[in-house]
Amino acid sequence: MNEDLTITLLVIIGIIVGLVGLAALIAGAVNLFSYAGKQGFVGLAAYVACWVFMAPIMATICIMVGLFVLFVIIRERWF
């Protein structure tokens, strides 16, 4: 019985961490896309080229930027 509870809690924690990671990826990608859009066509072309040729690196950068963006949003709304 105790082992089932432990596995269930680990699965729930894993799902929550995965959803936060997905939200951070999307928030970071949107933030970087808006910054690239401010640079004009060259910025958007560089953004797309980075996703095409360096997808794992861009995903990591987007997650890091997204975690920062989510932290700022939470800090502004709750504190």
Side-chain angles (χ1 to χ4, degrees), residues 4-61:
D4 292 337
L5 180 64
T6 304
I7 292 173
T8 304
L9 287 175
L10 286 175
V11 168
I12 291 172
I13 291 170
I15 290 171
I16 291 171
V17 168
L19 289 175
V20 169
L22 182 63
L25 176 68
I26 293 170
V30 169
N31 190 0
L32 291 176
F33 182 79
S34 68
Y35 181 74
K38 291 178 186 175
Q39 308 303 316
F41 176 75
V42 175
L44 290 175
Y47 178 80
V48 171
C50 285
W51 268 110
V52 169
F53 296 112
M54 304 184 314
I57 296 170
M58 279 296 289
T60 304
I61 292 170

Side-chain angles (χ1 to χ4, degrees), residues 24 27-28 31 62-75:
N31 190 0
C62 285
I63 289 173
M64 290 189 296
V65 170
L67 286 174
F68 179 74
V69 167
L70 292 176
F71 173 74
V72 168
I73 290 171
I74 290 171
R75 191 179 75 190

